[in-house]
Amino acid sequence: MAQGAQESYPAMRPAVEETYGPADLSRESVFAGGFINFGYWKAIDLSAPLGEAERIRSQQDLYRQVLDAAGPLAQQRVLEVGCGLGMGCALALGEYGPAGVTGMDIHPQQLERARGTHAGLLREEPGRLRFVRGAAERMPFGDGEFDAVVSVEAAQHFPDLQAFAAETARVLRPGGRVAAASFFTVDDAPGRAAELAGLLHTFETGLDIARPVAALTDAFAAAGLADTRARSIGRGVWPGWDTWLARLWAPGTWPRNFFRAYEGRVIDYYLVTATRPNRG
């Protein structure tokens, strides 16, 4: 869908609308610095006391994992799908030298917060940063508009991975690359959804959707993307995430069950990449 077309978005699921709207997940103490992700903790000493600085560093480093996988991004046009408050967009703009970064989110309240948070940067870089409303399954951009598409811990919310993949392939230029990080089930064994709903409140409420990582790699391949790969980065995510959660929740509480599900080989955290083939 080209920009300027009549706005039309798929309905948000109630849990998504509430969590990222009135509830404003970014205000929860488990997150910090405006980011909303589990973090990548490999460079952080988990045996030392953890504070807000370490928490923010972990979330920045998760973005760096994804941006590095999508790169090099110098002078490239970058789209983030599910940008939230736009902290990752600002990090990409400041560290990777892209021609421009577009943050897209389906939730209007998130976009309002992003524009407020980055008001100064939007004034200073009017041609290099923008925030646009759109859905992963229906992106308001022209064909081949971007050199890279990234997404950080948002795909677990997308109701239709095949539509997300098709739109990603459409808005990427030939030779462009996608990198998406999120948590998925390790396989499609029967009962995985029920198992996770019993362990984790976010799956019980429908905020997160239980699907195997192969659902995304297969969707990218079906959309015509090439060199599709899924790499586990769980060793850099789960131990640190659980150590951070231990400051706030006791063992046996549902947030600590993320690590339990990882240790039980039910879920893992993956970095999924693919490339749009060059024509001819």
Side-chain angles (χ1 to χ4, degrees):
M1 187 197 322
Q3 283 188 297
Q6 183 177 1
E7 292 184 348
S8 177
Y9 310 104
M12 279 184 280
R13 290 176 294 115
V16 171
E17 187 169 11
E18 171 64 22
T19 300
Y20 294 101
D24 188 6
L25 190 61
S26 67
R27 295 185 301 183
E28 295 293 327
S29 59
V30 71
F31 302 108
F35 292 93
I36 310 175
N37 67 61
F38 291 177
Y40 187 79
W41 303 79
K42 196 170 183 179
I44 297 169
D45 182 1
L46 298 181
S47 67
L50 298 177
E52 185 176 86
E54 290 76 24
R55 180 66 181 113
I56 292 173
R57 167 70 187 275
S58 77
Q59 294 177 103
Q60 292 172 330
D61 281 354
L62 184 57
Y63 264 97
R64 292 179 180 116
Q65 286 286 311
V66 175
L67 292 165
D68 288 347
L73 298 178
Q75 297 305 310
Q76 301 294 288
R77 302 161 298 168
V78 180
L79 168 67
E80 182 182 2
V81 180
C83 67
L85 271 66
M87 303 306 297
C89 294
L91 186 150
L93 198 66
E95 295 187 7
Y96 287 80
V101 179
T102 297
M104 185 190 78
D105 205 282
I106 193 173
H107 207 304
Q109 286 179 263
Q110 288 287 76
L111 292 171
E112 182 180 358
R113 294 174 188 129
R115 293 180 182 120
T117 299
H118 303 288
L121 193 56
L122 286 166
R123 286 193 299 270
E124 295 165 9
E125 303 278 5
R128 296 183 64 220
L129 178 64
R130 59 175 175 162
F131 295 106
V132 176
R133 190 177 183 201
E137 304 83 9
R138 194 181 301 165
M139 302 185 191
F141 307 113
D143 296 354
E145 190 167 332
F146 297 98
D147 303 294
V149 173
V150 299
S151 184
V152 176
E153 208 165 298
Q156 76 277 6
H157 302 320
F158 299 163
D160 188 340
L161 291 180
Q162 290 186 328
F164 164 57
E167 281 292 86
T168 296
R170 182 183 66 79
V171 302
L172 275 175
R173 64 160 174 81
R177 190 163 173 82
V178 57
S182 191
F183 47 94
F184 297 89
T185 61
V186 300
D187 56 32
D188 59 354
R192 287 299 193 207
E195 186 175 10
L196 283 172
L199 287 170
L200 293 160
H201 181 65
T202 55
F203 286 93
E204 181 186 19
T205 62
L207 177 63
D208 297 327
I209 303 172
R211 290 168 298 203
V213 67
L216 183 55
T217 55
D218 289 351
F220 280 157
L225 298 178
D227 195 25
T228 301
R229 301 180 183 183
R231 175 169 63 90
S232 169
I233 58 171
R235 289 185 180 180
V237 174
W238 300 114
W241 175 236
D242 191 63
T243 301
W244 178 252
L245 290 177
R247 301 168 70 255
L248 304 168
W249 283 283
T253 53
W254 79 259
R256 303 293 299 280
N257 284 341
F258 275 104
F259 194 63
R260 177 180 168 187
Y262 166 64
E263 288 189 309
R265 297 297 298 151
V266 178
I267 61 172
D268 201 354
Y269 211 105
Y270 295 92
L271 178 56
V272 180
T273 55
T275 302
R276 181 178 171 183
N278 283 297
R279 295 190 183 95

